[in-house]
Amino acid sequence: MISYIFRRLLLIIPTIFGILLLNFAIVQVAPGGPVEQMIARLEGFDTGATHRISGSTGTENSLELSEFNEHQGSRGLSPELVKLIEKQYGFDRPAHERFLKMATDYLSFDLGQSFYRSINVTDLILEKLPVSISLGLWSTLLAYLISIPLGIYKALRQGSRFDMLTSLLVATGYAVPGFLMAMLLIVLFAGGSWWQLFPLRGLVSDNFEELTWFQQIKDYAWHICLPITAMVIGSFATLTMLTRNSFLEEIRRQYVITARAKGLSDGQILIRHIFRNAMLLVISGFPAALIGILFTGSLLIEIIFSLDGLGLLGFEAVIQRDYPVVFGTLYIFTLTGLIIKLLGDLTYVLVDPRIHFNKETTL
């Protein structure tokens, strides 16, 4: 077991290196980098995210770009100023030197400094992290608390009216995207057109620090209710059906029939035998579910409910070409995902002692 964990930890290093290298290579050929954006701004062209999102069409952007290319030679900036801008953003060195420096700094968790914010990327991520952790952990916890009992009960009541009705509801929840569900909840419960029962923005109220600890818990739950609901409705459907089908498969096995013949009750068979075997498949999907909800599923939810988390931070960084933030968040996301995946594999041993990782285990 120790050797397996050690090998998996060593495997994390080349994996992260390869992911960063691939994305770094893509960024080098992507147009509209920070140097180009700064040059365009200095020459009178607004290429900021706000300008592009606030109603500019693709035709208008292409016209601006062609006009910039036509006049760049006649009224362009001096080569000295261009070199100064490149040096400011670190583009005065070859690409391989910049990548090696970035990879070396990342080993000590030195993620650099944002191009457009006067703050270290590590501090910026730590500032946004609580919001994403709140959304991810609560959504995953509630999804599992709802899906596992519901899936088990559906398996035990296979073919009943309850099974068919809940399958219809689960399929409907799965078919509706999370961001659409968020907008529907806003219309219904956040003052859109019907009731104003929940706040529309933020994770806590402005006077949060002035509240007592009980009022703070209440205020936090009040703000997070709609975002969590929107995320859980779309995420628990797959887990529910996975749990149901897994338990159905185990119920039909020969050892269950043998256990019934020995006089064991259905409850004893479910707890002692079926649950442990069926939950292996469910546990195997936990890392992917947590990573998906924590890092990707909350992006549009954070935007819709104005929650300043890592998803919104990464999106804005890509739009602004803030490369230190882009690669810093990518590094943290990848490292966290690989560690969670390793923990998910080790959980197999806790659920079923028959599973072990010996020296013949392949990675």
mmCIF file of all heavy atoms in Angstrom, residues 122-138 203-204 220 224 228 294-295 298 302 307-311 313:
data_model
loop_
_atom_site.group_PDB
_atom_site.id
_atom_site.type_symbol
_atom_site.label_atom_id
_atom_site.label_comp_id
_atom_site.label_asym_id
_atom_site.label_seq_id
_atom_site.Cartn_x
_atom_site.Cartn_y
_atom_site.Cartn_z
ATOM 1 N N THR A 122 -1.296 33.363 -5.655
ATOM 2 C CA THR A 122 -1.617 32.470 -4.535
ATOM 3 C C THR A 122 -2.605 33.135 -3.584
ATOM 4 O O THR A 122 -3.595 32.507 -3.160
ATOM 5 C CB THR A 122 -0.336 32.090 -3.771
ATOM 6 O OG1 THR A 122 0.601 31.496 -4.670
ATOM 7 C CG2 THR A 122 -0.646 31.116 -2.649
ATOM 8 N N ASP A 123 -2.367 34.400 -3.239
ATOM 9 C CA ASP A 123 -3.293 35.118 -2.366
ATOM 10 C C ASP A 123 -4.651 35.298 -3.028
ATOM 11 O O ASP A 123 -5.694 35.229 -2.364
ATOM 12 C CB ASP A 123 -2.716 36.491 -1.997
ATOM 13 C CG ASP A 123 -1.431 36.379 -1.188
ATOM 14 O OD1 ASP A 123 -1.257 35.348 -0.512
ATOM 15 O OD2 ASP A 123 -0.596 37.304 -1.252
ATOM 16 N N LEU A 124 -4.644 35.512 -4.337
ATOM 17 C CA LEU A 124 -5.899 35.680 -5.069
ATOM 18 C C LEU A 124 -6.717 34.397 -5.047
ATOM 19 O O LEU A 124 -7.932 34.419 -4.841
ATOM 20 C CB LEU A 124 -5.594 36.097 -6.508
ATOM 21 C CG LEU A 124 -6.772 36.517 -7.385
ATOM 22 C CD1 LEU A 124 -7.495 37.710 -6.780
ATOM 23 C CD2 LEU A 124 -6.295 36.832 -8.794
ATOM 24 N N ILE A 125 -6.055 33.266 -5.240
ATOM 25 C CA ILE A 125 -6.754 31.975 -5.212
ATOM 26 C C ILE A 125 -7.281 31.681 -3.813
ATOM 27 O O ILE A 125 -8.420 31.219 -3.643
ATOM 28 C CB ILE A 125 -5.814 30.860 -5.692
ATOM 29 C CG1 ILE A 125 -5.519 31.022 -7.185
ATOM 30 C CG2 ILE A 125 -6.419 29.485 -5.413
ATOM 31 C CD1 ILE A 125 -4.530 30.017 -7.732
ATOM 32 N N LEU A 126 -6.462 31.953 -2.788
ATOM 33 C CA LEU A 126 -6.918 31.732 -1.412
ATOM 34 C C LEU A 126 -8.099 32.633 -1.069
ATOM 35 O O LEU A 126 -8.972 32.248 -0.284
ATOM 36 C CB LEU A 126 -5.762 31.993 -0.436
ATOM 37 C CG LEU A 126 -4.609 30.988 -0.484
ATOM 38 C CD1 LEU A 126 -3.501 31.420 0.470
ATOM 39 C CD2 LEU A 126 -5.095 29.588 -0.132
ATOM 40 N N GLU A 127 -8.144 33.808 -1.669
ATOM 41 C CA GLU A 127 -9.256 34.730 -1.425
ATOM 42 C C GLU A 127 -10.555 34.216 -2.032
ATOM 43 O O GLU A 127 -11.628 34.376 -1.454
ATOM 44 C CB GLU A 127 -8.911 36.098 -2.020
ATOM 45 C CG GLU A 127 -9.999 37.142 -1.867
ATOM 46 C CD GLU A 127 -9.644 38.435 -2.565
ATOM 47 O OE1 GLU A 127 -8.438 38.742 -2.689
ATOM 48 O OE2 GLU A 127 -10.573 39.138 -3.008
ATOM 49 N N LYS A 128 -10.471 33.573 -3.209
ATOM 50 C CA LYS A 128 -11.670 33.094 -3.900
ATOM 51 C C LYS A 128 -12.040 31.667 -3.514
ATOM 52 O O LYS A 128 -13.161 31.224 -3.777
ATOM 53 C CB LYS A 128 -11.464 33.153 -5.416
ATOM 54 C CG LYS A 128 -10.899 34.450 -5.939
ATOM 55 C CD LYS A 128 -11.820 35.618 -5.698
ATOM 56 C CE LYS A 128 -11.237 36.896 -6.302
ATOM 57 N NZ LYS A 128 -12.076 38.072 -6.042
ATOM 58 N N LEU A 129 -11.101 30.930 -2.923
ATOM 59 C CA LEU A 129 -11.299 29.510 -2.663
ATOM 60 C C LEU A 129 -12.491 29.189 -1.769
ATOM 61 O O LEU A 129 -13.219 28.221 -2.042
ATOM 62 C CB LEU A 129 -10.018 28.916 -2.065
ATOM 63 C CG LEU A 129 -9.915 27.399 -1.996
ATOM 64 C CD1 LEU A 129 -10.030 26.794 -3.389
ATOM 65 C CD2 LEU A 129 -8.606 26.981 -1.344
ATOM 66 N N PRO A 130 -12.754 29.942 -0.683
ATOM 67 C CA PRO A 130 -13.874 29.573 0.185
ATOM 68 C C PRO A 130 -15.218 29.497 -0.525
ATOM 69 O O PRO A 130 -16.053 28.637 -0.195
ATOM 70 C CB PRO A 130 -13.870 30.688 1.248
ATOM 71 C CG PRO A 130 -12.470 31.175 1.278
ATOM 72 C CD PRO A 130 -11.985 31.072 -0.134
ATOM 73 N N VAL A 131 -15.448 30.359 -1.502
ATOM 74 C CA VAL A 131 -16.718 30.340 -2.219
ATOM 75 C C VAL A 131 -16.877 29.039 -3.002
ATOM 76 O O VAL A 131 -17.912 28.365 -2.915
ATOM 77 C CB VAL A 131 -16.820 31.552 -3.169
ATOM 78 C CG1 VAL A 131 -18.091 31.468 -4.014
ATOM 79 C CG2 VAL A 131 -16.798 32.846 -2.389
ATOM 80 N N SER A 132 -15.846 28.660 -3.748
ATOM 81 C CA SER A 132 -15.921 27.438 -4.543
ATOM 82 C C SER A 132 -15.979 26.189 -3.668
ATOM 83 O O SER A 132 -16.682 25.229 -3.992
ATOM 84 C CB SER A 132 -14.710 27.350 -5.489
ATOM 85 O OG SER A 132 -14.726 28.403 -6.427
ATOM 86 N N ILE A 133 -15.244 26.206 -2.558
ATOM 87 C CA ILE A 133 -15.302 25.063 -1.640
ATOM 88 C C ILE A 133 -16.695 24.932 -1.046
ATOM 89 O O ILE A 133 -17.234 23.824 -0.917
ATOM 90 C CB ILE A 133 -14.242 25.214 -0.537
ATOM 91 C CG1 ILE A 133 -12.846 24.989 -1.119
ATOM 92 C CG2 ILE A 133 -14.496 24.235 0.598
ATOM 93 C CD1 ILE A 133 -11.733 25.119 -0.106
ATOM 94 N N SER A 134 -17.306 26.050 -0.689
ATOM 95 C CA SER A 134 -18.658 26.014 -0.135
ATOM 96 C C SER A 134 -19.638 25.400 -1.128
ATOM 97 O O SER A 134 -20.427 24.511 -0.790
ATOM 98 C CB SER A 134 -19.117 27.428 0.231
ATOM 99 O OG SER A 134 -18.317 27.967 1.264
ATOM 100 N N LEU A 135 -19.583 25.869 -2.368
ATOM 101 C CA LEU A 135 -20.486 25.342 -3.389
ATOM 102 C C LEU A 135 -20.214 23.869 -3.664
ATOM 103 O O LEU A 135 -21.138 23.053 -3.718
ATOM 104 C CB LEU A 135 -20.340 26.150 -4.680
ATOM 105 C CG LEU A 135 -20.807 27.608 -4.654
ATOM 106 C CD1 LEU A 135 -20.495 28.288 -5.974
ATOM 107 C CD2 LEU A 135 -22.294 27.695 -4.360
ATOM 108 N N GLY A 136 -18.937 23.518 -3.835
ATOM 109 C CA GLY A 136 -18.590 22.153 -4.197
ATOM 110 C C GLY A 136 -18.899 21.132 -3.115
ATOM 111 O O GLY A 136 -19.514 20.098 -3.385
ATOM 112 N N LEU A 137 -18.480 21.425 -1.885
ATOM 113 C CA LEU A 137 -18.670 20.456 -0.804
ATOM 114 C C LEU A 137 -20.139 20.267 -0.458
ATOM 115 O O LEU A 137 -20.609 19.137 -0.311
ATOM 116 C CB LEU A 137 -17.878 20.897 0.432
ATOM 117 C CG LEU A 137 -16.353 20.797 0.321
ATOM 118 C CD1 LEU A 137 -15.696 21.199 1.630
ATOM 119 C CD2 LEU A 137 -15.923 19.392 -0.076
ATOM 120 N N TRP A 138 -20.869 21.359 -0.320
ATOM 121 C CA TRP A 138 -22.291 21.236 0.017
ATOM 122 C C TRP A 138 -23.069 20.551 -1.097
ATOM 123 O O TRP A 138 -23.944 19.722 -0.834
ATOM 124 C CB TRP A 138 -22.892 22.601 0.317
ATOM 125 C CG TRP A 138 -22.540 23.147 1.655
ATOM 126 C CD1 TRP A 138 -21.840 24.276 1.940
ATOM 127 C CD2 TRP A 138 -22.883 22.583 2.941
ATOM 128 N NE1 TRP A 138 -21.710 24.456 3.294
ATOM 129 C CE2 TRP A 138 -22.347 23.429 3.938
ATOM 130 C CE3 TRP A 138 -23.578 21.447 3.324
ATOM 131 C CZ2 TRP A 138 -22.493 23.165 5.297
ATOM 132 C CZ3 TRP A 138 -23.716 21.181 4.689
ATOM 133 C CH2 TRP A 138 -23.179 22.033 5.651
ATOM 134 N N LEU A 203 -22.484 35.664 -1.167
ATOM 135 C CA LEU A 203 -22.499 34.491 -0.306
ATOM 136 C C LEU A 203 -22.976 34.819 1.100
ATOM 137 O O LEU A 203 -23.517 33.961 1.791
ATOM 138 C CB LEU A 203 -21.094 33.872 -0.255
ATOM 139 C CG LEU A 203 -20.968 32.453 0.282
ATOM 140 C CD1 LEU A 203 -21.739 31.481 -0.597
ATOM 141 C CD2 LEU A 203 -19.505 32.039 0.346
ATOM 142 N N VAL A 204 -22.775 36.068 1.523
ATOM 143 C CA VAL A 204 -23.241 36.540 2.827
ATOM 144 C C VAL A 204 -23.718 37.980 2.686
ATOM 145 O O VAL A 204 -23.463 38.639 1.668
ATOM 146 C CB VAL A 204 -22.119 36.458 3.902
ATOM 147 C CG1 VAL A 204 -21.751 35.015 4.201
ATOM 148 C CG2 VAL A 204 -20.892 37.247 3.461
ATOM 149 N N TYR A 220 -25.717 32.691 6.032
ATOM 150 C CA TYR A 220 -24.959 31.919 5.042
ATOM 151 C C TYR A 220 -25.860 30.899 4.349
ATOM 152 O O TYR A 220 -25.835 30.756 3.116
ATOM 153 C CB TYR A 220 -23.795 31.233 5.745
ATOM 154 C CG TYR A 220 -23.056 30.220 4.914
ATOM 155 C CD1 TYR A 220 -22.172 30.621 3.921
ATOM 156 C CD2 TYR A 220 -23.240 28.852 5.130
ATOM 157 C CE1 TYR A 220 -21.487 29.695 3.165
ATOM 158 C CE2 TYR A 220 -22.559 27.915 4.374
ATOM 159 C CZ TYR A 220 -21.691 28.341 3.397
ATOM 160 O OH TYR A 220 -21.030 27.408 2.644
ATOM 161 N N ILE A 224 -26.881 30.743 0.292
ATOM 162 C CA ILE A 224 -26.365 29.637 -0.507
ATOM 163 C C ILE A 224 -27.459 28.663 -0.955
ATOM 164 O O ILE A 224 -27.206 27.763 -1.755
ATOM 165 C CB ILE A 224 -25.277 28.874 0.295
ATOM 166 C CG1 ILE A 224 -24.267 28.239 -0.653
ATOM 167 C CG2 ILE A 224 -25.908 27.824 1.212
ATOM 168 C CD1 ILE A 224 -23.085 27.632 0.048
ATOM 169 N N ILE A 228 -26.982 26.227 -4.385
ATOM 170 C CA ILE A 228 -26.809 24.806 -4.103
ATOM 171 C C ILE A 228 -27.944 23.997 -4.719
ATOM 172 O O ILE A 228 -27.726 22.924 -5.291
ATOM 173 C CB ILE A 228 -26.742 24.573 -2.581
ATOM 174 C CG1 ILE A 228 -25.478 25.192 -2.006
ATOM 175 C CG2 ILE A 228 -26.785 23.087 -2.266
ATOM 176 C CD1 ILE A 228 -24.204 24.623 -2.550
ATOM 177 N N LEU A 294 -16.927 20.962 -8.071
ATOM 178 C CA LEU A 294 -16.093 21.953 -7.400
ATOM 179 C C LEU A 294 -15.460 22.938 -8.373
ATOM 180 O O LEU A 294 -15.376 24.132 -8.095
ATOM 181 C CB LEU A 294 -14.993 21.239 -6.607
ATOM 182 C CG LEU A 294 -14.100 22.096 -5.708
ATOM 183 C CD1 LEU A 294 -14.936 22.825 -4.664
ATOM 184 C CD2 LEU A 294 -13.042 21.252 -5.044
ATOM 185 N N PHE A 295 -15.027 22.462 -9.539
ATOM 186 C CA PHE A 295 -14.226 23.302 -10.419
ATOM 187 C C PHE A 295 -14.906 23.697 -11.725
ATOM 188 O O PHE A 295 -14.531 24.687 -12.329
ATOM 189 C CB PHE A 295 -12.903 22.607 -10.742
ATOM 190 C CG PHE A 295 -12.043 22.396 -9.536
ATOM 191 C CD1 PHE A 295 -11.432 21.186 -9.312
ATOM 192 C CD2 PHE A 295 -11.856 23.411 -8.618
ATOM 193 C CE1 PHE A 295 -10.638 20.986 -8.199
ATOM 194 C CE2 PHE A 295 -11.069 23.223 -7.501
ATOM 195 C CZ PHE A 295 -10.456 22.011 -7.297
ATOM 196 N N SER A 298 -19.656 24.836 -11.124
ATOM 197 C CA SER A 298 -20.062 26.061 -10.438
ATOM 198 C C SER A 298 -19.773 27.324 -11.235
ATOM 199 O O SER A 298 -20.080 28.418 -10.766
ATOM 200 C CB SER A 298 -19.341 26.162 -9.088
ATOM 201 O OG SER A 298 -17.942 26.246 -9.274
ATOM 202 N N GLU A 302 -21.738 30.647 -10.361
ATOM 203 C CA GLU A 302 -21.049 31.775 -9.745
ATOM 204 C C GLU A 302 -21.334 33.075 -10.499
ATOM 205 O O GLU A 302 -21.494 34.141 -9.890
ATOM 206 C CB GLU A 302 -19.539 31.517 -9.708
ATOM 207 C CG GLU A 302 -19.142 30.428 -8.715
ATOM 208 C CD GLU A 302 -17.640 30.207 -8.686
ATOM 209 O OE1 GLU A 302 -16.919 31.022 -9.297
ATOM 210 O OE2 GLU A 302 -17.190 29.242 -8.055
ATOM 211 N N LEU A 307 -21.258 35.190 -7.364
ATOM 212 C CA LEU A 307 -20.443 34.578 -6.328
ATOM 213 C C LEU A 307 -18.988 34.602 -6.792
ATOM 214 O O LEU A 307 -18.642 33.989 -7.808
ATOM 215 C CB LEU A 307 -20.893 33.143 -6.056
ATOM 216 C CG LEU A 307 -22.349 32.989 -5.602
ATOM 217 C CD1 LEU A 307 -22.730 31.525 -5.519
ATOM 218 C CD2 LEU A 307 -22.573 33.676 -4.270
ATOM 219 N N ASP A 308 -18.149 35.308 -6.062
ATOM 220 C CA ASP A 308 -16.776 35.558 -6.488
ATOM 221 C C ASP A 308 -15.886 34.386 -6.102
ATOM 222 O O ASP A 308 -15.126 34.435 -5.135
ATOM 223 C CB ASP A 308 -16.276 36.854 -5.850
ATOM 224 C CG ASP A 308 -15.044 37.391 -6.556
ATOM 225 O OD1 ASP A 308 -14.707 36.843 -7.616
ATOM 226 O OD2 ASP A 308 -14.439 38.347 -6.059
ATOM 227 N N GLY A 309 -15.956 33.298 -6.893
ATOM 228 C CA GLY A 309 -15.176 32.104 -6.598
ATOM 229 C C GLY A 309 -14.140 31.819 -7.667
ATOM 230 O O GLY A 309 -13.855 32.641 -8.548
ATOM 231 N N LEU A 310 -13.576 30.614 -7.622
ATOM 232 C CA LEU A 310 -12.510 30.247 -8.546
ATOM 233 C C LEU A 310 -13.007 30.113 -9.980
ATOM 234 O O LEU A 310 -12.272 30.403 -10.927
ATOM 235 C CB LEU A 310 -11.876 28.931 -8.101
ATOM 236 C CG LEU A 310 -11.001 28.974 -6.853
ATOM 237 C CD1 LEU A 310 -10.483 27.585 -6.528
ATOM 238 C CD2 LEU A 310 -9.847 29.940 -7.024
ATOM 239 N N GLY A 311 -14.240 29.659 -10.152
ATOM 240 C CA GLY A 311 -14.780 29.529 -11.501
ATOM 241 C C GLY A 311 -14.861 30.867 -12.203
ATOM 242 O O GLY A 311 -14.423 31.015 -13.355
ATOM 243 N N LEU A 313 -13.206 33.539 -11.348
ATOM 244 C CA LEU A 313 -11.841 34.049 -11.463
ATOM 245 C C LEU A 313 -11.149 33.486 -12.699
ATOM 246 O O LEU A 313 -10.516 34.227 -13.466
ATOM 247 C CB LEU A 313 -11.047 33.686 -10.204
ATOM 248 C CG LEU A 313 -9.546 34.011 -10.232
ATOM 249 C CD1 LEU A 313 -9.320 35.508 -10.294
ATOM 250 C CD2 LEU A 313 -8.847 33.415 -9.019
#
